[in-house]
Each structure stands twice: as structure tokens, then as C-alpha cells.
């Protein structure tokens, strides 16, 4: 079972994603953005970073990369597709997920641990979590404020497409710098999935929370869930 | 020629005696372009003409040193075939004029230095100095802080290298002249170490961004005093593009990994002029550059502009024979220019062609061998009196409790989270000790059990009152911080920021700083492997305190055996290595509470310092100690408060001494380390300290949500939450 980690020029969490996928026993390979075929891959991960420098708008240029046609085709065929951070921005820009990611309400890049509640555990990305489980996972972004119009938002909630939501710290030492929602996302949304349940985007970085040495292992089940899901498919 | 200077000398600012030396070296009068080549190459920034004779004093050798000063960065071996390359560099003047781009390109530049050694950058640090946050000057300080932090974040976050540590200090003497020093470290396989070298007849490739009119003469700008006039030097500030930086980095490292290149050189200060002439000089060869081939961003650039441009994100690569096409294809894959703009030649000259004409031809050794200067130094009048001030008559404040809150809220001691939260400190998934969690950052090395600890330090108040002792403290403290997390210091890099070396006071401070570093280096067994001098941080009405920013890198053989600074377990015992009594001289307490900057920095016993550092490493390596913290500015009370903050856990501790209570609580002294240990290992830990011959005391136990200190005549208690509120807020107001 092999996962394609797409490398856009300016991606910088690509190697970290490969490391995390391999840590749980998945095969992972870097695929340059000009590739036109993802033959032989069973899942796709769009990593974090600053594709094309994010100079126009985060993710706005990456959606035109040749590989994105193939990512779209796999998504339509039901293969798991994950976008983390900049990858989430690319997925919304490409129309594979609804909504958009605006500048954080503090108007600057923010890197810190946040807490997320798992809203669904019936997905290929979350089957290893307990319903309602609270995870400690870092964020690192300047444009992570999830926004969608009221209608879309309502549809997302009705279809249970919100997968991760920002919540207060369970142990609750004083919150530095304001509330638990780090970027002003509507409905505290940290990650969503498409209706079919195979395309997921999230701003926090599960690949940065896969070992004790990194301060949290709460992101590890994200990758082992994917492994289990791919095993079942095969 | 005496009397009236030729117009060209007025234009370039080259002193007459240097001009005469240039004429002697050339055997003729230089042309205008040639004279400009000398101007930038003979600037302090490129030539170290005032500092080189002094820098010879510093120890540069060590068993682990693979590359000392002189290349793009220093390199130290760390075992299992790995080495670490690191260097610190200043970008002070550009940051004063244009803080965002000045800081951003400072980061970009130091990254390329590391890449040029064949190392993949794994961490960035920065050392910043600003003026006052209070009063009418505060507005400009806040503008600079915001700009510099934004610039560092902009570049480091986008290029994908974590900013893992640093330090910020506010002092009125930096009001006109902020300091921005950036440090980078990278990992490489020992066999992939690269140097700035080329063999004869090789094409020399220009790789990366196109050349524009930005940053013209930046190296020379860095070597002048700041003035109103410089405000109009905005074009001297380079513009950074981290996206191009990322692509240039990947092309260079992949070319090295695939063994396509024999030599690598960063194109940094003084651009084409410096990178190509140094490459040729170090190779014992000459070089011929064809300016018509240089990729240009704008039309109509003349030779002078092309030679002096400091456009960013450019590298010089020398391919191995037969690998030229592969290198070109690799660059094309990333969409970068890769053009053989030059080739090495036998006569040792730097020859520049433009539209078929030779527009400059000068011996490479002449550009490299700038005359050096040894000057007479003299201490600032009145400083000795200030240093010897008698502080014993200082009144003891009645509100000893409130002082801790004031100190924690001082700009120099309050929480740095509002700054480091803007930096991606985790990309790369190697940062095991993130900013704010320990006295130094720790990065693990994937595929091994090892880790690297790194910290940069300098106390300007110490250095202002005693440049020599201040420099010694800077190295001792950086090494102590590395030891306190469990790292064995290996070597260091120094960013020496001083005033104008052409004044007796500026020269005195520079020479005393280097003398102090040399003494501490020898005593602690730490060689310097790279560094930077930034002189001329001086204007008509000010001179910065000498500021030796010392970046120490240490090794943890077992990265799992490390310590952070927060108290985590109730019931553990808190132990102090060193005396509970601190000194008031040059302390943060004296400044914040009494408004004085006087007295001598605390005396430094380097033998005891080395013992204390070895002892704490020993305790961490044994797995007995997981929490340790050095006692620095603000003294014992501040250090203890800092240990309570991360996990909101308090402690009840006794300070047995008849010293005046303010010296006990807030006085400063080196070689002091606090740690916590469980009951099962307390006796053994104490035995280890005895074996090292170190004074120590068991102060009390961890627990509760208050910090309580019992002094012989009083008891003081603070709720940890009150300490947190005082500590968290001040910088949050600057960086909301």
C-alpha cells in the first residue's frame, strides 16, 4: 500500500509526512508536481509548506500543477486524499473541498500546540480514535481561518463533515494569547471531509505529533488509521 | 596628492593611504570599477581589517573540528559519520533601515552559508537587540521589533527551516542601532563536506535568482556608521525571496548529494565580486567573469551595478568535469537559471569582461589581502568609576515580594512566546525541546539516538561595564545553557557587534571583548569555528555596548537523556549548584528597581563554571535529572519562578544565608544551576556534586500552586498564576 506525497515547489512538510507515514509502516514516496500519473498509489497526501511561495494566495497556484488532475481523478474514484495545512488550502482552491481559508484573525503566522476534538471515527483517517477524543496537535500557519457561507456551513454540519474541531485544553492551564480557537475558524473547524468521506483537509499538523520526542503522539493514529483503511481496501 | 583628494576617493570613501596601497599592488592607477571592487572587498565586513589581528587570539582547533573559520561556515564532527555546520551573522544596518527585509535577508544569507558547506539546514536562531519600549522612543522600538520579527518569520517559515531559539534584549544604547544576528546550523555527512574551491579551467556556474539593482554596495554600507544620510540608502537593502531560497537550497544540496560539484560558494555580501574573487583566491587561481552572461532582472545594468549587486538567493557552483549538463538539467527541473558565467584561469587575476571589453583586471591576492590595522584602544572615560561604584549603601526595598513581579514583567525577562509563536519552530519534526521549554533548543538527529543542543547568549549590561568580563560571561552562559539541557558543548560561533574601531573607545571594546572570549575559550576548552564582525554600530551621539553574541552547539549522545526547565513532579527536591548569594553589580534588578547601571559584573571562576556544567550533564546523563535551569538575569527568585511557570507547579524553598535579602533573591552570579530530583536519587545526586567539589544546597520541595521562599527573617509567597500574569503580558502588548 503506497501513499503519494505530492511535492510542489515550496512544499516544506513533505519529508515530515513521509517520515510519519513510514513510521506506522506505510510505504510513502515523494511525487513531483509535474507528474501526470499516480499509477500504483492507493492514497495521496498534499503536505504543508508555501507552494509557489504562496505569493498570490495560499494554494492558489498549486491547483494548476499537472499532478492535480490526477489527484482529482483519484479523489473521484474514492481513494483517500489528505491535505494538511497548505495541502488543505490547495484542496479548497481546487474545489475538492468546500469553503476557504482566510488570514488568521490575529493577522500573523502562529505556531503552537492546540487541542482538537475528533468528531467522526468512521473515516479512513480517524478509525483509530475514540469518538470525542481530544488531541494535542500543533498548528503552524498564517491563513487557517476556515470560512464558508452559511448554507455550506449548515450542510457541513448536517452531513457530519466536520472531522476536527478546536476545543479548550482539557487540563486548562491559562490560555496564552486568547481563546482556544487559534485562527477564528467558523464553528471552530480545524478539519473537514467531503461528502463521500474520502477527501480530508485539516490545518493542524498530525505528522508533527507522532513520537514522544516531539511532545505528543496524538497524530500517530491518524496515519495508522489510514494504514488500516488501505489494508481493508486491498 | 596630499591636500585635495581625487574625486574618485571622495566618491568611494577610500582613504588615501589605502588608495596608495592599491596603486602599489596594481602597479598602476585603478579604474573606477576596479576601485569599487577594492572598496567592497576591503570593507570591514569582507576583510576584517580591524579585527583580524585580534581574532588570531581565539582558539580554533579541537579534535572534532573539521572546518574552522575562513570558509562559509564552521563544521564539527558529531559521530556516526555526521557533522554539524554552523555560523552566526549580523544584518544590523539593513534591519535599522528596513526591518522586515533587513531581517529576512539576514536569515536567507546565513542559510546559504550553511548550504554552501554541503549541509542541510535544520535550525535557525536569532539574537536581537532593541532600544527602549517605554517613553517617546517606544514607538520606533515597537516598529522595529514588529518588522524584524515579521522578516524572520517571513523567511524562515516559508523556506521550511525551524526557528528554534534565540534571545532578545532591550537597552537604551540600542535605540539608534538595533542588532539583528541570525544563526543557522545544518547537518551533513562528513564525506559531503564542501568548500569554496575550483580546479583550473573549470566553468563556474551562477545558480539561482537573477541579478537586480537591490543591495548595491551592502557590504560597504554595513561597514559605515548609521546616519541621517543612510536613511536615503534604502536601495542598499536587499530583498529576500524565501521561495527562490528554497529552490536554490534544494538544487545545491541535490547537486552535492549526486556528486555533481567540486566546489560551492555562497553569493552573499559583495555579490559576484566577493564570491568569485574568494573562490579563485582560495583555489590559488584566477577567474574570468563575463558579465554579459549574468542573468539579469532588469535591462541596462552597468558593470558596476552588476558587480556590487547583493541580489539574494544566488549560489556559485563548480561542476565536476562532465557533469555540466546534469547540473543544468537539475536546475531546470526546479526552474532556476544555471549559467557558466565564469571560468578559472591560471594567472591569479580577477578579470571582468563586459561587451567584449576587459572592464577590470586585478590580482586576486590584492583583493583578498587588505591591509590590517592594530590601533591604540582606550576605555570610555568614567566607565571605571561606574564599574567600581560602591553598592553596599544601596537601600534594601521594603516590598521584596512586588519586585519579583516587576522583574518578570521587565522587557528583558518576560515571556518570549509572543515572538516565537510567530516562528515555525517544528517544521522538520526534529525539535524535541521547543522555545520556552528549556535553556537551549534540542534537535534530534533522525536515524540515530543523538541530539544537538544550541543556544546563543550575550549580556550587554555586563559587556558595557566590563567588555572583557562580559565576553567571558557570554561564552560561559551559552555553554551553561547547553549543558543544562544535557548537551556537551563542542564549539561556538561568535557574532561580534561593536562600535567604530577607528575610535580609541570602539577599538578598546573590540579588543577587550576578543581577549575575554579567548580566555574563556581556553578555560572551557571550546574552539570558535565561525563568526562575523559587525563594527561601526556607532553614530555621533551613541555607541552600542560591545555585544558578543555567542552561539554554542553541544552534543547529546542520548537525546532521550535531556532536561527541560519546568518543574513537573510534586515531591521532587530542588537543589542549587553554587552559592545562594548573588551580586548586585550590573544586575537586571539594579536597573529595573534602582534605575542604575553600575558596579562590576559578577566575578567568573571558569574552573568552577566548567565543573558545574560537567556535573549537571553527568546527572542528566544518568537519567536522574529531567528538570534543570540556569540562574541568570534576575537571580534565584526569577529562575525559580521560571521553573514554576511551564506546568503551573509551585515549590516551598529555604534560602539560608545572612546576605542582604535583595542580593539573595535577585542578585546574579555565574555557575549557578537549579535542578529537581526525586527522593530516590537525592542522596546520590548530592554525592556527585560533592565529587565535583561544588558548593550546593537542597532548597526544598516541589508542590502546590504557590512559590514560597523562606529567608532567615521573612517568608515570601507568590501564587504561580500571579507570576504568570506579570510575565506573559508585556511583549503581548508589543506583538498582539
Amino acid at each position: 500500500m503506497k501513499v503519494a506525497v505530492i511535492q510542489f515547489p515550496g512544499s516544506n512538510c513533505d519529508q515530515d509526512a513521509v517520515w510519519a507515514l513510514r513510521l506506522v509502516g506505510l510505504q510513502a514516496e515523494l511525487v513531483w508536481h509535474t507528474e501526470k500519473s499516480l499509477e500504483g498509489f492507493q492514497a495521496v497526501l498534499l503536505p504543508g509548506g508555501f507552494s509557489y511561495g504562496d505569493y498570490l494566495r495560499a494554494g492558489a497556484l498549486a491547483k494548476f500543477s499537472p499532478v492535480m488532475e490526477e489527484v482529482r481523478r483519484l479523489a473521484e474514484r474514492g481513494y483517500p486524499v489528505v491535505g494538511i495545512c497548505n495541502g488543505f488550502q490547495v484542496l479548497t482552491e481546487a474545489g475538492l473541498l468546500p469553503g476557504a481559508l482566510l488570514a488568521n484573525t490575529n493577522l500573523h503566522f502562529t505556531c503552537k500546540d492546540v487541542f482538537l476534538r475528533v468528531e467522526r471515527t468512521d473515516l479512513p483517517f480517524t478509525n483509530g480514535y475514540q469518538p470525542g477524543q481530544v488531541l494535542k496537535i500543533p498548528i503552524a500557519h498564517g491563513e487557517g481561518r476556515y470560512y464558508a457561507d452559511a448554507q455550506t456551513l449548515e450542510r457541513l454540519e448536517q452531513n457530519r463533515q466536520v472531522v476536527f474541531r478546536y476545543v479548550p485544553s482539557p487540563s486548562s492551564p491559562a490560555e496564552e494569547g486568547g481563546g482556544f480557537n487559534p485562527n477564528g475558524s467558523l464553528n471552530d473547524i480545524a478539519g473537514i471531509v467531503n461528502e463521500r468521506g474520502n477527501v480530508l483537509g485539516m490545518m493542524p499538523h498530525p505528522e508533527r505529533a507522532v513520537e514522544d520526542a516531539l511532545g505528543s503522539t496524538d497524530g500517530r493514529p491518524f496515519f495508522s488509521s489510514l494504514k488500516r483503511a488501505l489494508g481493508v481496501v486491498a | 596628492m596630499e591636500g585635495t583628494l581625487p574625486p574618485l576617493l571622495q566618491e568611494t570613501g577610500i582613504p588615501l593611504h589605502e588608495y596608495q596601497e592599491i596603486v602599489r599592488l596594481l602597479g598602476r592607477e585603478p579604474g573606477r570599477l576596479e576601485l569599487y571592487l577594492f572598496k567592497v572587498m576591503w570593507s570591514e565586513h569582507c576583510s576584517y581589517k580591524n579585527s583580524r589581528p585580534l581574532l588570531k587570539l581565539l582558539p580554533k582547533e579541537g579534535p572534532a573540528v573539521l572546518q574552522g573559520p575562513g570558509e562559509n561556515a564552521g563544521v564539527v564532527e558529531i559521530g556516526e559519520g555526521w557533522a554539524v555546520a554552523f555560523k552566526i551573522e549580523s544584518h544590523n544596518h539593513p534591519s535599522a533601515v528596513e526591518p522586515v527585509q533587513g531581517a529576512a535577508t539576514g536569515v536567507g544569507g546565513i542559510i546559504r552559508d550553511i548550504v554552501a558547506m554541503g549541509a542541510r539546514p535544520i535550525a535557525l536562531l536569532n539574537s536581537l537587540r532593541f532600544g527602549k519600549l517605554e517613553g517617546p522612543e517606544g514607538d520606533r522600538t515597537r516598529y522595529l521589533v514588529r518588522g524584524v520579527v515579521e522578516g524572520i518569520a517571513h523567511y524562515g517559515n516559508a523556506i521550511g527551516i525551524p526557528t528554534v531559539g534565540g534571545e532578545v534584549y532591550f537597552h537604551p544604547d540600542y535605540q539608534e542601532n538595533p542588532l539583528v544576528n541570525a544563526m543557522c546550523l545544518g547537518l551533513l555527512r562528513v564525506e559531503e563536506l564542501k568548500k569554496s574551491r575550483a580546479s583550473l579551467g573549470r566553468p563556474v556556474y551562477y545558480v539561482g535568482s537573477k541579478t537586480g539593482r537591490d543591495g548595491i554596495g551592502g557590504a560597504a554600507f554595513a561597514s559605515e556608521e548609521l546616519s541621517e544620510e543612510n536613511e536615503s540608502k534604502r536601495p542598499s537593502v536587499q530583498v529576500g525571496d524565501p521561495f527562490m531560497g528554497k529552490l536554490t537550497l534544494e538544487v545545491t544540496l541535490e547537486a552535492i548529494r549526486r556528486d555533481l560539484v567540486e566546489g560551492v560558494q555562497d553569493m552573499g555580501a559583495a555579490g559576484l565580486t566577493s564570491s568569485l574573487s574568494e573562490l579563485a583566491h582560495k583555489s590559488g587561481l584566477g577567474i574570468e567573469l563575463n558579465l554579459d552572461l549574468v542573468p539579469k532582472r532588469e535591462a541596462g545594468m552597468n558593470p558596476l551595478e552588476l558587480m556590487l549587486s547583493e541580489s539574494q538567493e544566488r549560489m556559485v557552483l563548480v561542476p565536476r568535469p562532465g557533469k555540466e549538463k546534469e547540473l543544468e538539467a537539475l536546475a531546470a527541473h526546479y526552474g532556476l537559471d544555471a549559467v557558466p558565467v565564469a571560468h578559472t584561469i591560471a594567472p591569479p587575476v580577477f578579470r571582468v569582461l563586459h561587451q567584449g571589453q576587459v572592464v577590470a583586471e586585478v590580482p586576486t591576492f590584492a583583493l583578498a589581502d587588505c591591509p590590517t590595522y592594530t590601533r591604540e584602544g582606550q576605555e570610555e572615560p568614567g566607565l571605571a568609576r561606574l564599574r567600581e561604584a560602591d553598592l553596599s549603601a544601596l537601600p534594601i526595598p521594603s516590598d521584596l515580594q512586588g519586585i519579583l513581579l516587576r522583574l518578570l514583567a521587565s522587557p528583558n525577562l518576560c515571556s518570549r512566546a509572543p515572538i516565537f509563536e510567530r516562528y515555525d519552530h517544528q517544521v522538520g519534526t526534529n525539535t524535541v525541546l521547543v522555545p520556552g521549554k528549556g535553556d537551549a533548543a534540542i534537535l534530534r538527529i533522525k536515524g540515530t539516538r543523538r541530539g544537538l543542543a544550541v543556544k546563543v547568549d550575550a549580556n550587554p549590561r555586563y559587556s558595557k561595564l566590563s567588555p572583557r568580563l562580559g565576553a567571558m560571561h557570554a561564552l560561559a552562559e551559552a555553554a551553561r545553557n547547553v549543558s543544562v539541557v544535557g548537551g556537551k558543548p563542542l564549539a561556538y560561533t561568535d557574532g561580534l557587534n561593536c562600535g567604530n574601531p577607528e575610535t580609541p573607545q570602539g577599538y578598546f571594546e573590540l579588543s577587550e571583548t576578543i581577549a575575554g572570549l579567548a580566555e574563556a575559550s581556553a578555560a572551557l576548552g571550546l574552539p570558535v569555528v565561525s563568526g562575523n564582525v559587525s563594527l561601526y554600530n556607532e553614530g555621533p551621539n551613541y555607541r552600542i555596548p560591545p555585544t558578543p553574541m555567542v552561539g554554542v552547539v553541544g552534543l547529546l549522545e542520548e537525546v532521550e537523556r535531556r532536561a527541560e526547565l519546568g518543574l513537573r513532579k510534586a515531591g521532587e527536591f530542588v537543589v542549587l549548584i553554587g552559592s545562594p548569594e548573588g551580586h548586585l553589580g550590573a544586575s537586571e534588578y539594579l536597573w529595573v528597581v534602582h534605575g542604575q547601571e553600575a558596579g562590576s559584573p559578577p566575578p567568573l571562576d571558569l574552573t568552577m563554571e566548567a565543573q558545574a556544567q560537567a556535573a549537571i550533564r553527568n546527572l542528566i546523563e544518568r537519567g536522574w535529572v529531567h528538570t534543570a535551569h540556569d540562574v541568570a538575569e534576575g537571580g534565584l527568585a526569577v529562575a525559580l519562578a521560571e521553573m514554576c511557570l511551564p506546568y503551573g507547579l509551585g515549590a516551598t524553598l529555604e534560602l539560608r544565608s545572612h546576605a542582604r535579602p535583595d542580593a539573595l533573591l535577585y542578585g546574579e552570579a555565574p555557575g549557578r544551576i537549579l535542578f529537581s530530583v526525586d527522593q530516590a536519587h537525592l542522596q546520590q545526586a548530592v554525592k556527585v556534586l560533592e565529587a565535583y567539589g561544588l558548593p550546593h544546597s537542597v532548597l526544598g520541595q516541589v508542590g502546590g500552586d504557590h512559590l514560597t521562599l523562606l529567608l532567615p527573617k521573612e517568608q515570601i509567597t507568590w501564587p504561580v498564576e500571579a507570576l504568570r500574569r506579570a510575565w506573559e503580558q508585556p511583549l503581548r502588548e508589543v506583538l498582539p
Side-chain angles (χ1 to χ4, degrees):
Chain A
M1 290 298 107
K2 212 162 61 172
V3 182
V5 175
I6 309 295
Q7 254 185 328
F8 299 101
S11 293
N12 64 30
C13 303
D14 44 342
Q15 300 283 359
D16 302 351
V18 168
W19 174 265
L21 289 162
R22 289 182 181 161
L23 206 63
V24 301
L26 277 163
Q27 287 183 52
E29 269 177 39
L30 294 170
V31 176
W32 188 240
H33 71 118
T34 53
E35 281 296 322
K36 294 199 175 72
S37 166
L38 289 173
E39 192 69 45
F41 291 101
Q42 283 74 42
V44 181
L45 190 152
L46 307 180
F50 288 66
S51 52
Y52 297 91
D54 276 356
Y55 286 139
L56 176 59
R57 192 173 64 237
L61 288 176
K63 72 175 171 190
F64 297 115
S65 279
V67 77
M68 284 307 291
E69 269 318 299
E70 187 72 351
V71 172
R72 186 185 303 277
R73 198 176 63 82
L74 260 56
E76 280 163 5
R77 290 175 55 191
Y79 285 69
V81 174
V82 179
I84 298 171
C85 200
N86 194 228
F88 186 11
Q89 293 160 343
V90 174
L91 288 175
T92 58
E93 286 286 339
L96 287 169
L97 287 173
L101 294 146
L102 311 180
N104 299 349
T105 44
N106 62 16
L107 297 183
H108 60 75
F109 189 97
T110 302
C111 176
K112 63 177 184 180
D113 283 337
V114 297
F115 293 89
L116 313 176
R117 187 172 63 226
V118 184
E119 304 284 57
R120 269 181 79 168
T121 56
D122 59 342
L123 295 169
F125 322 97
T126 57
N127 61 58
Y129 291 114
Q130 298 301 313
Q133 189 177 339
V134 173
L135 318 176
K136 184 174 92 167
I137 291 186
I139 54 159
H141 60 249
E143 299 172 14
R145 177 187 181 192
Y146 185 77
Y147 175 83
D149 60 50
Q151 220 176 354
T152 308
L153 213 53
E154 199 185 319
R155 205 173 59 236
L156 284 174
E157 296 289 359
Q158 266 175 3
N159 296 340
R160 296 181 58 238
Q161 284 174 254
V162 178
V163 184
F164 299 109
R165 226 186 280 271
Y166 300 111
V167 293
S169 155
S171 62
S172 192
E175 288 276 341
E176 256 201 73
F180 58 88
N181 177 338
N183 50 30
S185 286
L186 293 178
N187 294 17
D188 301 324
I189 288 172
I192 57 168
V193 72
N194 63 351
E195 272 186 61
R196 187 169 172 177
N198 68 314
V199 178
L200 176 139
M202 64 191 298
M203 287 314 295
H205 286 274
E207 81 280 12
R208 296 187 181 186
V210 291
E211 292 160 274
D212 283 324
L214 301 176
S216 172
T217 55
D218 289 352
R220 195 163 171 142
F222 183 86
F223 298 98
S224 45
S225 295
L226 186 61
K227 184 188 173 196
R228 192 189 312 177
L230 293 176
V232 172
V233 170
Chain B
M1 284 176 70
E2 298 295 328
T4 56
L5 285 176
L8 211 46
L9 289 202
Q10 282 180 359
E11 179 189 320
T12 56
I14 290 180
L16 183 61
H17 64 276
E18 285 190 1
Y19 181 77
Q20 288 163 342
E21 178 65 12
I22 292 167
V23 171
R24 194 185 66 77
L25 286 165
L26 289 181
R28 61 179 168 81
E29 301 271 327
R32 180 162 177 261
L33 175 61
E34 290 172 332
L35 196 56
Y36 267 98
L37 302 188
F38 279 100
K39 175 181 165 71
V40 294
M41 291 305 293
W42 285 17
S43 68
E44 181 66 34
H45 190 87
C46 289
S47 72
Y48 297 83
K49 60 186 169 188
N50 288 292
S51 49
R52 202 175 344 159
L54 298 167
L55 290 168
K56 283 187 182 141
L57 294 171
L58 296 177
K60 300 171 187 72
E61 308 285 319
V65 177
L66 293 179
Q67 177 64 57
E71 284 290 329
N72 286 291
V75 181
V76 176
E77 202 167 355
I78 53 172
E80 297 185 45
W82 290 101
V84 56
F86 60 96
K87 189 183 180 190
I88 193 166
E89 196 158 84
S90 62
H91 233 218
N92 302 333
H93 288 186
S95 303
V97 176
E98 213 299 285
V100 179
Q101 288 302 333
T105 54
V107 172
I110 194 64
I111 290 170
R112 285 193 306 281
D113 277 330
I114 299 308
V115 169
M117 302 309 293
R120 175 167 285 276
I122 57 164
L124 289 163
L125 293 93
N126 50 73
S127 199
L128 313 177
R129 297 291 180 272
F130 300 104
K132 289 167 69 169
L133 280 173
E134 319 80 41
E137 299 102 327
D139 284 345
R140 177 165 165 78
T141 302
R142 275 186 287 276
Y143 158 77
L144 289 171
V145 172
R146 287 171 189 149
V148 166
V149 169
E150 182 187 332
I152 291 168
H154 163 67
Y155 205 101
N157 296 351
I159 200 169
I161 301 166
T163 300
V164 300
E167 44 131 33
V168 189
Y169 210 104
F170 298 87
H171 189 287
D173 291 356
Y174 298 108
Q175 193 63 43
E176 302 297 323
N177 196 134
L179 301 182
V180 176
N181 283 208
M183 177 174 172
C184 184
L185 65 166
L187 268 184
L188 68 153
R189 299 297 298 169
V190 169
E191 66 274 12
E192 287 179 345
L193 175 61
K194 282 286 167 249
K195 291 187 184 183
S196 175
R197 292 291 184 283
S199 46
L200 182 58
R202 299 301 308 146
V204 176
Y205 275 69
Y206 167 124
V207 175
S209 287
K210 297 184 196 308
T211 297
R213 287 197 171 95
D214 51 331
I216 291 193
F221 173 45
S223 305
E224 291 168 9
E225 293 182 359
L226 280 176
S227 67
E228 291 289 322
E229 267 171 54
N230 303 127
E231 290 288 329
S232 64
K233 292 206 172 176
R234 212 165 285 270
S236 275
V237 178
Q238 311 84 337
V239 179
D241 178 351
F243 176 59
M244 287 301 285
K246 167 78 171 161
L247 301 179
T248 310
L249 174 157
E250 295 298 344
V251 168
T252 306
L253 291 180
E254 195 169 335
I256 292 167
R257 193 180 55 79
R258 282 158 56 177
D259 202 22
L260 304 182
V261 291
E262 60 178 50
V264 184
Q265 167 69 44
D266 156 45
M267 213 186 291
L272 283 164
T273 303
S274 165
S275 57
L276 295 181
S277 67
E278 281 181 19
L279 173 75
H281 181 63
K282 285 175 182 167
S283 307
L285 296 169
I287 195 160
E288 185 176 289
L289 164 66
N290 185 345
L291 287 175
D292 302 336
L293 301 177
V294 171
K296 297 170 193 74
R297 198 182 301 151
E298 44 204 311
M301 288 183 70
N302 64 38
L304 186 62
E305 291 170 325
L306 288 166
M307 291 307 290
L308 300 191
S309 166
E310 293 189 2
S311 287
Q312 299 290 292
E313 288 83 37
R314 301 181 298 170
M315 295 290 285
V316 174
L317 300 183
V318 186
R320 291 197 187 281
K323 299 291 186 187
E324 293 85 354
K325 291 290 163 233
E326 219 176 314
L327 178 63
E328 289 173 19
L330 173 62
H333 174 79
Y334 284 94
L336 291 189
D337 284 312
V339 184
V341 296
H343 61 276
T344 47
I345 54 177
V349 296
F350 188 15
R351 185 182 296 146
V352 183
L353 303 181
H354 183 245
Q355 296 174 352
Q357 304 285 319
V358 174
V359 289
E361 180 165 331
V362 293
T364 47
F365 67 84
L367 289 175
D369 291 343
C370 173
T372 58
Y373 298 92
T374 306
R375 303 174 190 274
E376 285 296 312
Q378 195 190 1
E379 183 164 41
E380 178 77 28
L383 201 64
R385 196 162 41 79
L386 205 56
R387 183 170 54 237
E388 284 146 22
D390 178 14
L391 299 171
S392 62
L394 201 71
I396 298 174
S398 54
D399 182 19
L400 286 170
Q401 183 188 32
I403 287 171
L404 179 55
L405 301 176
R406 285 171 68 189
L407 281 171
L408 286 173
S410 121
N412 290 333
L413 297 178
C414 67
S415 168
R416 269 56 188 135
I419 295 176
F420 66 68
E421 277 180 10
R422 297 187 184 211
Y423 305 147
D424 189 337
H425 42 258
Q426 290 167 306
V427 61
T429 60
N430 294 319
T431 319
V432 300
L433 208 50
V434 296
K437 269 203 119 173
D439 284 5
I442 299 181
L443 295 131
R444 55 105 175 250
I445 301 169
K446 283 184 179 135
T448 74
R449 301 162 71 94
R450 288 161 195 262
L452 290 169
V454 55
K455 181 69 171 89
V456 56
D457 270 308
N459 183 326
R461 219 183 296 289
Y462 288 4
S463 277
K464 182 180 179 179
L465 287 160
S466 170
R468 183 184 289 244
L469 189 50
M472 292 165 66
H473 273 289
L475 182 58
E477 184 175 356
R480 191 185 319 131
N481 281 321
V482 162
S483 293
V484 156
V485 301
K488 182 171 174 25
L490 296 173
Y492 72 99
T493 181
D494 58 353
L496 304 180
N497 304 269
C498 288
N500 183 347
E502 296 167 37
T503 67
Q505 289 77 24
Y507 192 76
F508 175 84
E509 291 172 358
L510 176 67
S511 57
E512 284 287 292
T513 294
I514 294 173
L517 273 185
E519 188 178 339
S521 295
L524 297 173
L526 291 177
V528 64
V529 295
S530 59
N532 173 246
V533 291
S534 168
L535 307 183
Y536 302 93
N537 293 292
E538 181 165 354
N541 306 313
Y542 68 91
R543 182 174 70 252
I544 65 158
T547 313
M549 290 165 179
V550 174
V552 169
V553 174
L555 177 68
L556 292 88
E557 299 217 356
E558 293 276 346
V559 74
E560 291 306 316
R561 299 281 169 97
R562 62 175 184 268
E564 56 178 85
L565 68 85
L567 297 171
R568 272 177 290 180
K569 287 195 182 125
E572 283 197 336
F573 288 83
V574 177
V575 183
L576 170 70
I577 301 176
S579 159
E581 294 159 24
H583 298 258
L584 299 180
S587 66
E588 186 73 10
Y589 159 76
L590 191 62
W591 172 253
V592 170
V593 176
H594 298 277
Q596 287 190 43
E597 192 166 48
S600 170
L604 175 57
D605 179 336
L606 288 163
T607 310
M608 290 301 270
E609 179 69 50
Q611 289 294 91
Q613 293 184 19
I616 192 66
R617 290 197 303 269
N618 185 321
L619 294 172
I620 295 167
E621 271 163 29
R622 288 171 189 260
W624 298 346
V625 168
H626 308 283
T627 294
H629 185 33
D630 98 308
V631 182
E633 290 95 331
L636 261 182
V638 165
L640 288 165
E642 287 167 345
M643 295 175 82
C644 295
L645 292 170
Y647 298 96
L649 203 51
T652 302
L653 309 163
E654 189 185 359
L655 303 179
R656 286 188 198 178
S657 161
H658 290 297
R660 35 185 297 165
D662 53 353
L664 206 50
L665 292 167
Y666 307 116
E668 298 173 16
R672 299 201 293 174
I673 296 165
L674 287 158
F675 67 90
S676 73
V677 60
D678 62 21
Q679 185 152 22
H681 297 100
L682 177 62
Q683 289 311 318
Q684 292 161 290
V686 165
K687 282 210 172 65
V688 168
L689 299 182
E690 282 165 359
Y692 279 95
L694 290 164
H696 58 273
S697 37
V698 180
L699 301 181
Q701 272 181 293
V702 180
D705 54 7
H706 284 63
L707 173 64
T708 301
L709 297 182
L710 309 167
L711 278 62
K713 289 180 188 157
E714 54 196 310
Q715 167 184 337
I716 313 178
T717 293
W718 300 268
V720 175
E721 277 316 303
L723 300 174
R724 181 191 308 286
R725 277 194 301 277
W727 174 75
E728 266 178 2
Q729 220 30 49
L731 273 186
R732 195 63 80 187
E733 282 157 13
V734 180
L735 294 159

